Amino acid sequence: MPVLEGLWGPDIRMRDSGLGVGVEVGVCPDEAPRSPIWGPLRMPPVTCGGLSLALELPSLIRQLRTAWRARRGGPLGPERSQANTWVDTERQEVEEVKHDIEDRSAQLEADGRLNTGHAGVLLVERRGSYPLIDLRILKTNAQQGEVESGTRRKVKRLLSFQRYCHASRLLRGLVPHTPGSLHLLDDDYLGQAAHMLSKVGTWNFDIFLFDRLTNGNSLVTLMCHLFNVYGLIHHFQLDMVKLHRFLGMVQEDYHSQNPYHNAVHAADVTQAMYCYLKEPKVMTNTLAEQLSPLDVFLGLMAAAAHDVDHPGVNQPFLIKTRHHLASLYQNTSVLESHHWRSTVGMLRESGLLSHLPPDMSQDMEQQLGSLILATDISRQNEFLLTFREHLDNQDLDLQLASHRHFILQIALKCADVCNPCRVWELSRQWSERVCEEFYRQGDLERKFDLEISPLCNQQADSVPAIQIGFISYIVEPLFEEWHRFTEPSLLSRTMMGHLHKNKARWSRLRYAHTPSDMQTHPHAEEPEGRGREGEDIP
């Protein structure tokens, strides 16, 4: 159990900020106010419009006292004598909690354990601790219906997951004895979805279709399946209820209104990571066979949660709008740091790793952060140069834990930007989605008279132009080095083939069509056919 939760229970969270550390009441909307999860405070958090208002206890006490006096006619009102016992009891309980927290905070500060700079302690962000930019601004008429139906969709997803997890051997953490057998889906889903899961390691895997077949549960379904494939549930003795709770938190904390940074993107990156783990290294051994179970666990977890709670805008937008996350992380890896801290918060809230020794769980949290922070695109050259240097010197040794971790970082970076390496039908969809997200940010900046960020001006930046630049400066240099690392594998040759074809096609579209023509005729060119993995029909 983490240090902070061990002191105050799951309802009290420490939150770091630029001004220090404060105590705030956690949000648990699914629990009744009097349930044990609220701990000694015995009151739900104060909310306004669905957002938690984290009040410091002295301020909360003053507000309660003021409200009581106003309601009862002042401190000397006629009803005061009748309520003396109730007031004294409540005040005594609140004061006891206040002094208890103050004493423990002072003790921690005296021990020097509240400083985020000290090793072994990670102060996490509370899930949903900040509002998105402004949903009222970002909503369009089409999005309005989507937001209104969010609750209904959430309930439907939950019922769907309960159906295919009910009475499953996975619920008891058992590994199926029959090779290739699937114990995830019930009779309603054993058709195409189960067939797709059996081919999840192929590069032409259609994550959009899989998401539809799983009723929007692609990330949860895929992660449970891959954990089962690698025996991680048995190896780490994971509680399936806690695992389901954690994965459900992660999936729900991706915002479906984002065209690109949503749970489907997370599932796509996770599927790509699985493909890379299957890369052959040293004769017949795969990369995963040279990694430890912990490496595989962290690689899949980082892929699934690497963009969790993404607001749909980039770091420069957060900086120039003076968003509090930019101040919190001092304008450095702002989004990636938030993704990491949020993931650790969900790990602790779900208790997924609570049965492990504290030093082991803390080390896993730190390694998870190192992987997620590696996806910061501003650090691209740093990782690329290091990777190239290792390959030039031929000194990568997967027997070393540090080298295995570095390869996981590179694999995650490749998985995160692998869309141009997919077949054209999938690659084009992802390209249009990410550009749509860029254009929404540009519209928001234009609305508030802010300087429009690069690539976010729909009138000046076309989808083909954006994709050609992205491929030339980001994707190609990285995958050329990955191609060298795999010596090269069949998958690597397939990816490079798709990459070159897709770049050539975007080049033709850039000069053959205007942006309006592309929107009117998105299928102007018939997609190239494809056969089995690694084979393209000419």
Side-chain angles (χ1 to χ4, degrees):
M1 176 178 294
V3 176
L4 301 179
E5 287 192 10
L7 292 175
W8 291 312
D11 58 316
I12 301 296
R13 296 284 187 271
M14 300 301 299
R15 180 177 180 182
D16 57 346
S17 66
L19 300 178
V21 177
V23 179
E24 55 183 33
V25 182
V27 178
C28 188
D30 296 329
E31 298 290 338
R34 293 286 179 179
S35 66
I37 197 169
W38 296 111
L41 289 180
R42 289 191 261 177
M43 63 179 69
V46 182
T47 61
C48 178
L51 300 177
S52 172
L53 301 180
L55 301 176
E56 295 183 358
L57 280 176
S59 180
L60 178 60
I61 294 171
R62 287 195 297 271
Q63 291 194 19
L64 288 174
R65 185 182 294 120
T66 302
W68 174 257
R69 288 177 179 174
R71 182 176 179 182
R72 297 297 181 179
L76 300 177
E79 300 184 17
R80 176 170 172 77
S81 60
Q82 301 176 9
N84 278 342
T85 303
W86 182 88
V87 173
D88 292 341
T89 302
E90 292 297 314
R91 180 178 299 169
Q92 183 178 1
E93 290 184 0
V94 173
E95 289 293 339
E96 288 177 357
V97 174
K98 172 189 173 185
H99 291 311
D100 182 59
I101 292 178
E102 289 178 347
D103 291 343
R104 296 184 183 188
S105 297
Q107 181 180 358
L108 285 176
E109 290 175 346
D111 292 341
R113 287 181 290 173
L114 286 183
N115 191 334
T116 56
H118 287 73
V121 178
L122 175 63
L123 303 182
V124 302
E125 288 186 57
R126 192 184 63 206
R127 294 174 56 228
S129 60
Y130 77 101
L132 295 179
I133 305 306
D134 190 338
L135 290 181
R136 292 171 300 178
I137 298 174
L138 296 179
K139 287 176 187 173
T140 62
N141 292 335
Q143 293 171 319
Q144 182 67 34
E146 180 181 358
V147 173
E148 291 175 352
S149 63
T151 302
R152 181 183 304 175
R153 181 169 57 252
K154 182 176 180 180
V155 172
K156 188 176 180 181
R157 287 180 179 178
L158 179 60
L159 292 176
S160 171
F161 189 86
Q162 289 174 342
R163 282 204 305 273
Y164 64 70
C165 270
H166 182 65
S168 169
R169 297 182 68 196
L170 268 179
L171 193 61
R172 302 190 297 274
L174 300 178
V175 179
H177 297 291
T178 306
S181 60
L182 301 173
H183 297 274
L184 287 172
L185 309 178
D186 65 7
D187 293 339
D188 295 336
Y189 292 90
L190 279 178
Q192 296 183 62
H195 177 71
M196 289 193 69
L197 269 181
S198 68
K199 297 183 179 298
V200 70
T202 59
W203 189 245
N204 56 9
F205 188 83
D206 189 341
I207 196 65
F208 298 108
L209 175 59
F210 185 68
D211 189 66
R212 291 193 295 270
L213 292 175
T214 56
N215 198 26
N217 279 294
S218 57
L219 182 59
V220 175
T221 307
L222 180 61
M223 282 291 287
C224 284
H225 175 69
L226 296 182
F227 269 45
N228 195 30
V229 167
Y230 285 114
L232 299 176
I233 298 172
H234 176 74
H235 181 86
F236 291 102
Q237 294 296 299
L238 300 178
D239 186 318
M240 270 303 297
V241 174
K242 292 180 179 179
L243 177 62
H244 165 224
R245 185 185 183 196
F246 169 75
L247 294 176
M249 288 178 182
V250 173
Q251 181 172 268
E252 289 299 328
D253 273 15
Y254 279 98
H255 304 297
S256 60
Q257 66 265 30
N258 291 343
Y260 183 83
H261 290 103
N262 49 44
V264 184
H265 166 66
D268 183 65
V269 173
T270 304
Q271 190 269 339
M273 175 65 83
Y274 175 57
C275 291
Y276 298 157
L277 291 176
K278 292 178 59 183
E279 287 275 50
K281 291 294 295 180
V282 186
M283 302 301 292
T284 58
N285 289 342
T286 64
L287 177 59
E289 291 171 340
Q290 299 188 63
L291 302 176
S292 68
L294 177 59
D295 295 327
V296 176
F297 175 85
L298 292 173
L300 294 177
M301 290 281 280
H306 77 285
D307 273 332
V308 71
D309 204 23
H310 196 291
V313 294
N314 59 20
Q315 175 173 295
F317 182 92
L318 298 179
I319 293 175
K320 64 186 175 185
T321 56
R322 299 180 181 179
H323 195 279
H324 86 269
L325 284 178
S327 301
L328 179 63
Y329 297 114
Q330 299 179 347
N331 300 341
T332 304
S333 298
V334 175
L335 288 171
E336 292 75 21
S337 297
H338 176 63
H339 303 324
W340 168 37
R341 298 289 185 90
S342 298
T343 302
V344 173
M346 287 183 280
L347 277 173
R348 296 182 181 181
E349 185 176 341
S350 65
L352 180 62
L353 306 179
S354 59
H355 63 291
L356 300 177
D359 58 340
M360 181 178 181
S361 62
Q362 290 174 9
D363 179 66
M364 294 170 73
E365 291 172 357
Q366 294 291 342
Q367 291 195 56
L368 194 62
S370 176
L371 291 173
I372 294 177
L373 290 175
T375 63
D376 185 353
I377 202 69
S378 66
R379 301 179 63 193
Q380 177 80 358
N381 288 337
E382 169 192 342
F383 282 94
L384 186 59
L385 291 176
T386 303
F387 193 28
R388 185 175 294 150
E389 183 178 352
H390 278 304
L391 294 176
D392 290 341
N393 297 333
Q394 298 182 352
D395 59 358
L396 275 173
D397 183 4
L398 296 183
Q399 298 298 318
L400 299 177
S402 59
H403 285 197
R404 295 198 305 270
H405 185 77
F406 177 74
I407 290 301
L408 279 178
Q409 290 177 314
I410 297 297
L412 181 58
K413 289 179 67 63
C414 288
D416 192 26
V417 298
C418 73
N419 303 146
C421 300
R422 299 282 191 178
V423 294
W424 171 253
E425 303 94 289
L426 300 177
S427 178
R428 186 191 61 199
Q429 289 188 64
W430 285 120
S431 299
E432 292 171 349
R433 284 170 174 262
V434 72
C435 290
E436 173 61 24
E437 195 165 292
F438 290 161
Y439 296 153
R440 288 188 185 182
Q441 176 178 322
D443 293 341
L444 194 61
E445 291 167 333
R446 185 180 295 106
K447 182 180 180 67
F448 289 98
D449 295 324
L450 299 173
E451 181 183 357
I452 299 180
S453 300
L455 311 181
C456 296
N457 189 340
Q458 188 169 8
Q459 284 71 42
D461 303 310
S462 66
V463 176
I466 293 174
Q467 289 307 304
I468 291 172
F470 179 59
I471 292 173
S472 300
Y473 297 104
I474 301 295
V475 183
E476 268 186 337
L478 180 61
F479 276 89
E480 284 172 356
E481 301 306 322
W482 182 261
H483 189 68
R484 291 175 59 196
F485 171 69
T486 59
E487 297 179 346
S489 67
L490 174 62
L491 173 60
S492 180
R493 291 194 296 268
T494 300
M495 291 191 299
M496 294 302 292
H498 290 322
L499 180 63
H500 295 148
K501 291 178 182 178
N502 292 338
K503 182 180 180 181
R505 178 165 290 195
W506 284 121
S507 297
R508 292 195 299 270
L509 288 174
R510 181 179 185 180
Y511 296 105
H513 301 283
T514 63
S516 60
D517 289 333
M518 289 186 60
Q519 295 174 6
T520 306
H521 307 287
H523 302 284
E525 295 191 37
E526 290 297 326
E528 296 177 2
R530 68 181 187 276
R532 295 172 298 175
E533 181 187 4
E535 296 180 359
D536 287 321
I537 299 176

